[in-house]
């Protein structure tokens, strides 16, 4: 995981992250990504609930944007005790599209929220942290979403209250290098 994340960060820094945007019907694509990740982590271990509006489309690179969803689901798995509850919501009004990944995990303190997308940042105390990680996953998420001309935000009511990540996947058809 560390080597893979470091390679992706190096590609981002060098401006050579492969990107091939295409018009994607988001509901079936998102369902496939989420179900594959749930299977990879252990069928049913995420406590996955999908709430997907039909007919939402966006111009995304399906592989890169899958990396964002997979990172968020991996964090939902790593930072929650059993039984986990992870909800992925897709909502669209025809113009604006919103993807929300929320969990009932450990949560993030308000003072740490502004830093979670920084390179190598990890919330919590280094001496007591139980979950292994690189501090690069959310940094990569932000970089990929921004390259899609979108936004990603994190919110949490605090420790023990879970975390919610809200993102807009793409502006119409344009791609930023």
């Amino acid at each position: 995981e560390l080597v893979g994340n470091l390679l992706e960060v190096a590609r981002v820094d060098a401006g050579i992250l492969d990107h091939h945007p295409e018009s994607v019907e988001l509901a079936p694509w998102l369902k496939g990504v989420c179900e594959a990740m749930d299977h990879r982590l252990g069928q049913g271990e995420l406590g996955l609930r999908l709430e997907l509006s039909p007919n939402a489309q966006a111009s995304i690179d399906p592989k890169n944007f899958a990396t964002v969803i997979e990172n968020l689901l991996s964090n939902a798995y790593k930072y929650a005790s059993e039984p986990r509850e992870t909800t992925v919501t897709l909502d669209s009004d025809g113009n604006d599209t919103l993807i929300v990944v929320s969990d009932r995990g450990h949560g993030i303190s308000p003072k740490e929220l502004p830093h979670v997308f920084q390179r190598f940042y990890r919330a919590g105390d280094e001496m007591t942290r139980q979950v292994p990680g690189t501090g690069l996953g959310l940094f990569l998420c932000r970089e990929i979403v921004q390259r899609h001309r979108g936004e990603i935000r994190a919110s949490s009511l605090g420790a023990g209250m879970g975390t919610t990540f809200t993102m807009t996947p793409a502006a119409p058809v344009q791609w930023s290098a």
Side-chain angles (χ1 to χ4, degrees), residues 10 15 22 46 85-86 142:
E22 57 190 72
L46 273 170
E85 292 180 40
T86 309
R142 184 192 67 197

Side-chain angles (χ1 to χ4, degrees), residues 25-150:
E25 182 72 31
L26 291 174
W29 170 83
L30 191 55
K31 180 179 183 201
V33 171
C34 291
E35 288 177 350
M37 191 64 181
D38 186 49
H39 180 74
R40 194 174 320 148
L41 295 171
Q43 192 70 40
E45 290 294 314
L46 273 170
L48 188 61
R49 187 175 75 203
L50 302 175
E51 299 173 356
L52 309 176
S53 295
N55 303 320
Q57 291 202 358
S59 178
I60 62 170
D61 179 307
K63 181 180 175 230
N64 284 341
F65 221 83
T67 298
V68 173
I69 302 302
E70 289 166 354
N71 271 317
L72 296 176
L73 292 175
S74 176
N75 282 353
Y77 176 82
K78 291 189 298 189
Y79 292 100
S81 302
E82 293 182 35
R84 294 174 186 88
E85 292 180 40
T86 309
T87 303
V88 178
T89 306
L90 168 65
D91 196 17
S92 178
D93 65 5
N95 294 318
D96 296 316
T97 300
L98 204 60
I99 297 174
V100 179
V101 177
S102 61
D103 64 57
R104 301 225 180 231
H106 296 194
I108 302 170
S109 75
K111 72 176 185 155
E112 292 185 295
L113 276 172
H115 307 288
V116 297
F117 294 106
Q118 294 173 357
R119 186 186 313 230
F120 298 116
Y121 186 81
R122 297 203 58 220
D125 182 337
E126 208 48 60
M127 298 301 289
T128 59
R129 191 173 295 124
Q130 301 285 323
V131 179
T134 63
L136 293 172
L138 292 178
F139 169 77
L140 285 172
C141 288
R142 184 192 67 197
E143 292 297 312
I144 291 169
V145 171
Q146 286 179 345
R147 290 188 192 307
H148 283 83
R149 297 182 186 264

